[in-house]
Amino acid sequence: MADVKRILVGQSGGPTAAINSSLAGVVAGAREAGVEVIGMRHGIQGFLAGQTVDLAAALPDDAAIELLRHTPSSWLGSCRFKLPALDAAGAEAFYTDAFAKFEAAGMDAVLYIGGNDSMDTIAKLGAWGARVDSPIRFIGVPKTIDNDLVGIDHTPGYGSAAKFVATATSELMLDADVYDLKNVLFVEIMGRDAGWLAGSACLAEPDLVLLPEVTFNEDALVERVGELLERQNTVVIAMSEGLREADGHLIAEKTVAAGTKVDEFGHLAQLSGPSRYLASLVGGRLGVKTRAVELSTLQRCASHLASKVDLDEAFELGRVGVHAAMAGESVKMCSLTRTSSDPYSVEYSLVDVLEVANQVKAVPREWICEDGLNVTEALRAYVEPLVDGLPEHLAAL
């Protein structure tokens, strides 16, 4: 294989407070290696449409890279574009065109920063590259606030989002408890298939935490809330937007507008509102005041509460991606393993992206209380080092 001289990098899927730190790590790593780095505008979809940016010119010095590290959202833009299966109708024409464009642009390696669907992209490009004996190397750099990628202890973006969730939940708990009356607050947190982010609310110590890993039961919830209200005025419930009933249907399906579309990957395009449904249910059954608060996209863009641990790890994983490509690796995802929680430390490595793509890492069942209405101390111990501390005025409560 020829030495890597030019790297193409893109960002895909939902933004986070740390995804630009990974991009900064790629740019810094490429600069250290004397390699040119080109950015995709709006992910692989934008690249195929001819949209690129010279990152050396756009980020000319260390100050620009440092600013990028702390910038929220996806600086290059993003996309949700599903590559065709290799044996699908039209796949040969699609991949032939894509690889012709990689080669015409002189790309020796492609790094893609994203979550599960992005690792699917790397897996498919790598598989086609192997089929046609292409020398181009394909490396995935992980990110997702959902923390649901397998093959890694935790994903960049999760620590910062968890810090925001725990902080916002703490503040909402204080706000909910100011009146001398019975009331129930539902805090709705992102998480389609895995409850890692909703689980991070445990740092705020709400009364209940509801995750999608456990079948949701309306009667059990109402009964527990009623018991809590017998001895306290305020009940606070942190809940995942991905809660499902025994038949597998999302609670959100009861609240989204009829005809709501799905995205390229078959996901319901609008997954929100189950907190409003449950607030109405509990209020009607128990005759108490209820409120639903959706933290929504603030969870993934609140850079004012970014975790330093998260930003540092995201940056390093970007550098690891460059080093992997330089070493001749391909069809791999950059990863990290926790070696200690106290003092906190990690080691960086690579994993086969084929073992990551299209898999979902769930919260272990043993980290969820037996009745499914809260989480155990094990989840708190897992999350705590990643958020790098809550704001001082809340940590002292």
Side-chain angles (χ1 to χ4, degrees), residues 179-227:
Y179 297 112
D180 186 19
L181 55 82
K182 301 293 184 181
N183 71 103
V184 182
L185 170 67
F186 290 86
V187 183
E188 183 177 319
I189 299 162
M190 285 180 172
R192 180 184 303 275
D193 299 308
W196 294 102
L197 194 53
S200 70
C202 70
L203 298 179
E205 300 184 3
D207 296 290
L208 301 176
V209 179
L210 309 179
L211 308 186
E213 283 81 357
V214 179
T215 298
F216 175 72
N217 182 284
E218 292 182 358
D219 293 334
L221 174 66
V222 173
E223 181 180 357
R224 174 60 69 83
V225 172
E227 293 171 354

Side-chain angles (χ1 to χ4, degrees), residues 240-316:
S240 169
E241 65 183 3
L243 293 182
R244 293 178 183 270
E245 296 182 302
D247 61 5
H249 285 102
L250 291 160
I251 301 296
E253 292 177 28
K254 299 181 179 183
T255 60
V256 296
T260 296
K261 297 180 180 179
V262 297
D263 64 19
E264 292 255 7
F265 295 89
H267 303 150
L268 198 64
Q270 179 183 336
L271 189 63
S272 65
S275 60
R276 298 193 299 274
Y277 170 79
L278 293 182
S280 177
L281 171 77
V282 169
R285 298 259 296 260
L286 297 179
V288 297
K289 177 184 176 181
T290 61
R291 177 173 292 171
V293 175
E294 296 178 32
L295 299 186
S296 193
T297 51
L298 280 169
Q299 294 161 89
R300 68 188 194 193
C301 66
S303 61
H304 65 287
L305 279 172
S307 159
K308 183 179 184 302
V309 167
D310 192 25
L311 296 182
D312 289 348
E313 290 177 347
F315 184 85
E316 189 59 29

